Amino acid sequence: MKSTTDIRRQCRLELTLVLTMTVLLAAASSAQNTVGTTLISDDVSSGYVLFSPNSATQTYLIDRCGRTMNQWESDGRPGLSAYLLEDGSLLRTRKLLTGAFIGGGIGGMLERFNWNGELIWSDTLATESIHQHHDIAPMPNGNILAILWEKHTAEEAIANGRDPLLTPEEVWVTRIVELSPMAGGGSEIIWSWSPWDHLIQHFNAALPHYGEPANFPHRFDVNYGAVAEVVGPGIGQDAAFDWLHVNSIDYHAERDEIVLSSRNWDEVWVIDHSTTTAEAASSTGGSSNRGGDILWRWGNPLTYGVGAQEDRQFFGQHDAQFIEDGLGITVYNNGASRPEGPFSTVHLIEFPLDTSGSFIDPDGGVFGPDEPNWTYPDEPDLAFFSSNISGYQRMANGHHLICQGADGRFFELNEAHQIVWEYINPMTANGPLSQGSNPNQNSVFRATHIALEHPGILEQDLSPGDPIELNPDLADCFVNSVYEIYTERFSPTVWPIPSRDFLHIEWPETMPMACEVVFYTPQGIECARTPHGPSLRVDIQTWPPGLYIGILQRCGDPLSSQAPLTFKFIIQ
């Protein structure tokens, strides 16, 4: 049986959904808007969007009209990700330059702010030998997984089989660490993993790790992607140092696995987290009994010496995320250096698993599947392209939130692949842009959908503030537009009003599938629930006199992207 607190929370979810949906657009777009919300339709999802502009120190939570629901202010720019935690606090990375490392996606600090914007914890992960960058992954136990660069000398690399002609003076290798935050600041590293412990090389038989990469697909070829020098406009030697350039990390607790995305290798990797640190440095142990070797890799089989160039699937991809059940991932495929031309795509890729749930070994071939299970867009769209950063999130209602990062553009697709919402980040290094101005220098690493049922917002004041842009134009955000359109089509007939013994409810024949009707007092206390049907007769003889609210619940999705159907009645 639900407690009063649980009932009130559920009621708040329903009422929040109603209030959220009442401010959405009925019109398809706002032609004059160049920043902020530029397009919205009645099929847009409820909920909010979290993002940290790359050139600013703020992190924002906005509604679909672009109004600020909350914001957090730091003393530094992001480095690069941010997460809303279940207690309503914000965990973000922060850019810190020490001179020891200078590379794309550089961070160096972690910060945690409470809902009110107070800094409650921080940690510095920047020394002469290591530096945090790009992304982190909050874990259910309160710990944090972080991506680090770890500096190795040229001599170390050559001793491990690297071709000297492909070796710069430094080699930065990925290290993943699990941090246990300490009260008052800082953290303890309680687990770590590095590709440096899982090498293969076919350069010098007299050195360690010798073998054909194709025969060791669960290891990292120390010579793949290696260069001694990088030359080009705006490119520093750090591009040669940064061997793998891992740009995202995600964790799935039930499978106890980590997925990593390597831009330089055009590949994603899944590794086992159930190991000890010692096992993670070996090839045995953990649930998979592979230690820290790669469990599954995908995107570019050339990295392990099989396949051909046409087998390459990824082109500088970002943001590999587990899907909810952990049996696949979503990825933003940037498309840089794509043979057909520069255009981006997003993908869903399901894991090839055996009946026990373990990854199927390629057995000398290419890791499956042969192609993504889902791709957007179906045909190349040269207007949809971001050469770097960016992200993709598959939402619980079947919609898709995409961040075209270099342009600071977020858009939502419905299940028919129609764009139902578009937003252009208006925040730059010089402050917010004015509505109508040409957006520039407004890149965003990632945008995250925050559902109405997210625990971090259930107890928060979500009164909307102003949009971020100057001189905002919300003329098309008609109050009640979506809710009124929806309820006009499906409003029930309720009688008698006022009621005394029995309440009769009849629904239109066009009513969508639903499961039950839930009744609340105005204070949010659940009174009863009854299965939905075209005609209902509810016994209310024992209910106290007063005002009551009925809410129709959808089957399997009580917090659907559509506005809920509600009605009121009085008992005398």
Side-chain angles (χ1 to χ4, degrees):
M1 181 176 180
K2 289 184 177 180
S3 67
T4 300
T5 299
D6 290 337
I7 292 171
R8 285 178 174 160
R9 283 183 175 179
Q10 178 65 26
C11 185
R12 175 171 179 152
L13 280 174
E14 303 291 350
L15 296 178
T16 301
L17 182 54
V18 174
L19 293 172
T20 300
M21 295 304 296
T22 62
V23 299
L24 298 179
L25 295 174
S29 66
S30 178
Q32 72 275 16
N33 283 6
T34 60
V35 294
T37 296
T38 60
L39 181 151
I40 192 167
S41 76
D42 58 6
D43 195 25
V44 69
S45 299
S46 56
Y48 308 102
V49 176
L50 180 79
F51 68 100
S52 290
N54 287 352
S55 298
T57 57
Q58 297 90 350
T59 300
Y60 296 99
L61 183 69
I62 61 169
D63 68 8
R64 291 302 204 271
C65 281
R67 301 180 302 175
T68 302
M69 313 307 291
N70 200 23
Q71 73 177 65
W72 297 263
E73 179 79 40
S74 172
D75 291 331
R77 296 179 181 180
L80 290 165
S81 57
Y83 294 87
L84 183 66
L85 303 184
E86 292 192 352
D87 64 352
S89 64
L90 178 82
L91 180 65
R92 77 186 290 270
T93 57
R94 175 178 164 184
K95 187 175 184 177
L96 175 66
L97 299 179
T98 64
F101 293 82
I102 301 176
I106 193 168
M109 291 185 66
L110 309 185
E111 297 179 321
R112 186 174 178 183
F113 297 86
N114 64 19
W115 180 263
N116 297 321
E118 300 167 328
L119 181 64
I120 57 176
W121 177 84
S122 66
D123 192 11
T124 299
L125 299 169
T127 69
E128 288 296 311
S129 60
I130 60 101
H131 203 109
Q132 179 272 328
H133 63 98
H134 280 94
D135 199 10
I136 54 177
M139 304 176 73
N141 63 2
N143 291 349
I144 304 163
L145 291 169
I147 306 170
L148 308 181
W149 285 309
E150 185 174 61
K151 189 180 295 185
H152 293 266
T153 65
E155 290 74 20
E156 289 178 90
I158 293 169
N160 277 284
R162 172 71 68 86
D163 182 347
L165 297 178
L166 301 177
T167 307
E169 55 267 38
E170 298 175 2
V171 178
W172 303 349
V173 181
T174 298
R175 181 165 290 278
I176 305 301
V177 294
E178 181 179 347
L179 307 171
S180 177
M182 297 188 295
S187 64
E188 177 187 2
I189 296 176
I190 64 170
W191 181 89
S192 74
W193 170 91
S194 174
W196 207 243
D197 297 316
H198 306 276
L199 299 177
I200 191 70
Q201 56 91 10
H202 197 251
F203 175 73
N204 190 333
L207 294 175
H209 324 299
Y210 184 76
E212 281 284 357
N215 296 331
F216 296 88
H218 302 279
R219 299 188 184 181
F220 297 85
D221 182 355
V222 74
N223 285 295
Y224 185 83
V227 292
E229 186 177 8
V230 175
V231 179
I235 300 176
Q237 185 62 357
D238 58 275
F241 299 161
D242 188 2
W243 177 37
L244 302 168
H245 196 83
V246 170
N247 56 31
S248 76
I249 182 170
D250 195 27
Y251 174 69
H252 194 272
E254 184 177 346
R255 290 184 63 87
D256 205 5
E257 291 171 350
I258 296 168
V259 61
L260 303 168
S261 165
S262 168
R263 174 182 172 87
N264 284 3
W265 283 36
D266 302 303
E267 193 175 39
V268 295
W269 314 311
V270 173
I271 60 172
D272 192 351
H273 175 263
S274 69
T275 60
T276 64
T277 296
E279 290 171 336
S282 75
S283 297
T284 59
S287 299
S288 65
N289 199 33
R290 285 195 177 275
D293 282 355
I294 297 170
L295 300 181
W296 177 80
R297 63 197 306 174
W298 203 82
N300 182 15
L302 295 176
T303 61
Y304 51 100
V306 299
Q309 185 62 38
E310 53 266 28
D311 296 314
R312 181 178 166 200
Q313 302 271 2
F314 285 154
F315 302 89
Q317 82 292 333
H318 285 73
D319 195 21
Q321 296 186 31
F322 285 107
I323 60 177
E324 187 175 1
D325 61 11
L327 303 183
I329 58 170
T330 57
V331 179
Y332 186 103
N333 194 0
N334 293 73
S337 71
R338 195 190 294 262
E340 306 94 318
F343 61 90
S344 295
T345 49
V346 296
H347 306 291
L348 166 67
I349 301 145
E350 296 175 1
F351 294 148
L353 303 173
D354 61 22
T355 55
S356 70
S358 300
F359 288 97
I360 296 174
D361 196 90
D363 193 25
V366 174
F367 280 87
D370 293 336
E371 59 185 18
N373 299 89
W374 178 87
T375 295
Y376 170 86
D378 297 329
E379 299 293 335
D381 179 2
L382 297 182
F384 175 41
F385 176 65
S386 177
S387 62
N388 63 344
I389 52 178
S390 307
Y392 161 49
Q393 180 183 7
R394 190 175 74 156
M395 300 161 61
N397 63 355
H399 286 206
H400 313 268
L401 181 64
I402 298 171
C403 172
Q404 189 174 326
D407 298 323
R409 177 189 181 223
F410 321 148
F411 61 98
E412 179 184 336
L413 302 174
N414 64 13
E415 293 178 279
H417 294 189
Q418 298 167 327
I419 297 178
V420 296
W421 179 71
E422 182 184 58
Y423 182 88
I424 306 297
N425 168 41
M427 179 57 74
T428 72
N430 297 319
L433 298 170
S434 292
Q435 188 57 265
S437 60
N438 185 33
N440 61 85
Q441 299 180 4
N442 64 333
S443 63
V444 176
F445 179 64
R446 183 185 297 156
T448 304
H449 170 70
I450 304 297
L452 291 179
E453 62 267 35
H454 190 293
I457 64 174
L458 290 182
E459 304 297 331
Q460 309 302 342
D461 177 8
L462 293 173
S463 302
D466 294 330
I468 301 170
E469 66 269 17
L470 304 177
N471 304 315
D473 179 5
L474 299 182
D476 288 329
C477 275
F478 299 123
V479 175
N480 294 329
S481 60
V482 169
Y483 184 67
E484 289 177 354
I485 289 171
Y486 195 64
T487 54
E488 283 174 4
R489 293 178 58 196
F490 302 121
S491 291
T493 301
V494 182
W495 83 92
I497 299 293
S499 305
R500 185 183 301 272
D501 299 320
F502 293 92
L503 183 73
H504 298 267
I505 309 170
E506 286 191 359
W507 302 91
E509 293 181 1
T510 55
M511 185 66 221
M513 181 182 296
C515 283
E516 58 186 355
V517 181
V518 187
F519 299 92
Y520 296 92
T521 69
Q523 292 75 36
I525 305 300
E526 182 181 318
C527 306
R529 55 181 63 216
T530 183
H532 171 260
S535 180
L536 299 177
R537 184 172 183 263
V538 184
D539 186 347
I540 57 173
Q541 295 180 76
T542 61
W543 296 17
L547 175 69
Y548 291 82
I549 300 168
I551 298 180
L552 183 71
Q553 298 275 35
R554 299 289 193 84
C555 290
D557 187 13
L559 296 168
S560 106
S561 63
Q562 296 285 2
L565 292 170
T566 67
F567 58 91
K568 299 178 183 179
F569 60 96
I570 297 174
I571 297 178
Q572 286 188 340

